[in-house]
């Protein structure tokens, strides 16, 4: 598991590095006509597995799962534009997903199984995700098991535009500062996050590496990606979309949902099981672990991914 660390960058600044990762895991720099994007390549052979993080996150979130996933296929996690080591080259929130086909092409992937950290990208740009030519979607977590306005309200309460101030206070989103202030900010944020119930089961050095990956240098210091204005517009757009089971209805591809029982009440478990039982090409898998992707049991997740790859073969 990676630890924190910085390596020299321009003007004496420091940028995050994954130098303490497993040697089989390597950083990738993907050059496309739309710009340069960062990725973490976990290696592996066989079917392609593409991992996409949710908004405000980055590719580091997949590291605890990556080694196991590389045992069942070729696993790569990318930094979405405006996150991690992928700059938002131009435009607004639409560019977060518009360049995904170019990234998949640069990776040389064919019919990848697309792993999603939560469902936000399905709402933000369903056509763009469908255009990746993947064999299906493996969705880790769902913000609501309801329909209509109830589902929208549940999503807004947790990660909607009005919750940004809460997340800024809890996890230091959108922070900026001088290089002299950077280490103090990282240390304080990691300490605060380690005591938050959301991150139960996430190792502190994993969270530190995750946080550092979203920090980029500026002319006079540093700032934490993504940009607030871009994120707010993306979240407002998502808020107007469909959520919960209504969203799942619109996914015209094999869809497996992996969820930890700690995130669901008995009624929600029953609802998801009933939904999957009445829909072809849909399955619900319950995995051990906590609230977030990097606290889930790697073997449980990779085993489920392997079964989906087998089910979608051909």
């Amino acid at each position: 598991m990676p630890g924190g660390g910085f390596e020299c960058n321009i003007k004496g600044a420091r940028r995050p590095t994954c130098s303490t990762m497993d040697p089989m895991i390597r950083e990738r720099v993907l050059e496309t006509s739309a710009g340069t994007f960062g990725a973490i390549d976990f290696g592996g052979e066989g079917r392609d597995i593409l991992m996409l993080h949710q908004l405000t996150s980055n590719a580091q979130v997949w590291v605890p799962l990556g080694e196991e996933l590389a045992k069942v296929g070729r696993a790569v996690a990318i930094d979405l534009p405006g996150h991690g080591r992928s700059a938002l080259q131009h435009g607004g929130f639409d560019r977060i997903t518009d360049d995904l086909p170019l990234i998949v092409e640069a990776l040389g992937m064919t019919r990848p199984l697309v792993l999603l950290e939560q469902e936000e990208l399905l709402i933000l740009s369903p056509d763009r995700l469908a255009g990746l030519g993947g064999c299906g979607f493996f969705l880790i977590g769902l913000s609501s098991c309801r329909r209509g306005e109830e589902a929208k309200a549940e999503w807004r309460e947790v990660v909607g535009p009005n919750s940004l101030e809460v997340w800024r206070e809890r996890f230091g989103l959108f922070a900026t500062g001088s290089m002299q202030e950077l280490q103090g900010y990282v240390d304080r944020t990691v300490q605060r996050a380690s005591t938050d119930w959301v991150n139960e089961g996430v190792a502190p050095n994993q969270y530190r590496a995750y946080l550092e990956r979203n920090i980029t240098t500026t002319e006079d210091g540093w700032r934490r990606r993504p940009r607030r204005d871009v994120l707010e517009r993306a979240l407002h757009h998502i808020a107007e979309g469909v959520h919960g089971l209504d969203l799942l209805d619109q996914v015209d591809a094999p869809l497996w949902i992996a969820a930890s029982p700690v995130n669901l009440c008995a009624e929600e478990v029953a609802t998801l099981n009933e939904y999957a039982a009445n829909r072809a090409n849909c399955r619900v898998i319950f995995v051990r672990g906590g609230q977030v992707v990097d606290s889930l049991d790697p073997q449980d997740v990779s085993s489920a991914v392997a079964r989906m790859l087998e089910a979608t073969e051909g």
Side-chain angles (χ1 to χ4, degrees), residues 25-131:
I25 301 174
R26 63 190 181 99
E27 286 286 346
R28 295 284 302 275
V29 177
L30 307 174
E31 299 290 349
T32 76
S33 59
T36 302
F37 302 98
I40 301 176
D41 192 333
F42 298 97
E45 298 179 351
R47 300 277 296 281
D48 292 327
I49 301 170
L50 177 68
M51 291 166 275
L52 303 179
H53 62 78
Q54 68 182 140
L55 300 180
T56 78
S57 188
N58 60 65
Q60 176 69 30
V61 77
W62 297 102
V63 166
L65 302 178
E67 184 177 359
E68 290 296 321
L69 291 172
K71 295 177 182 179
V72 300
R74 180 202 172 200
V76 181
I78 68 166
D79 291 319
L80 292 174
H83 298 73
R85 297 183 182 174
S86 297
L88 191 64
Q89 306 291 344
H90 53 82
F93 73 86
D94 53 320
R95 305 309 310 180
I96 294 174
T97 53
D98 277 5
D99 296 327
L100 285 176
L102 294 174
I103 296 172
V104 170
E105 181 181 1
L107 288 169
M109 286 189 163
T110 304
R111 297 189 68 239
L113 176 60
V114 181
L115 272 60
L116 296 170
E117 181 191 9
Q118 293 290 335
E119 74 273 26
E120 293 169 355
L121 298 187
L122 283 173
I123 309 171
L124 183 64
S125 186
D127 293 339
R128 184 61 67 191
L129 288 186

Side-chain angles (χ1 to χ4, degrees), residues 161 164-165 168 174 224 226-233:
L164 287 183
E165 279 305 308
R168 184 187 65 80
F174 318 122
R224 177 173 173 176
R227 284 170 24 203
R228 181 165 187 157
D229 60 326
V230 173
L231 181 61
E232 285 182 331
R233 289 196 294 271

Side-chain angles (χ1 to χ4, degrees), residues 138 140 258-262 285-290 296-297 300-301 304:
F138 189 96
I140 299 182
S260 169
V262 302
I285 307 294
F286 295 102
V287 297
R288 292 169 293 179
L296 297 179
D297 185 274
D300 278 4
V301 175

Side-chain angles (χ1 to χ4, degrees), residues 130-174:
L132 296 180
C135 67
F137 295 103
F138 189 96
L139 176 62
I140 299 182
L142 185 66
S143 63
S144 176
C145 299
R146 301 181 185 276
R147 292 185 180 273
E149 289 303 317
E150 287 185 322
K152 288 186 177 184
E154 287 191 341
W155 177 82
R156 288 193 189 101
E157 182 179 357
V158 179
V159 292
N162 294 334
S163 68
L164 287 183
E165 279 305 308
V166 175
W167 288 93
R168 184 187 65 80
E169 292 176 6
R170 287 171 69 181
F171 301 114
L173 294 182
F174 318 122

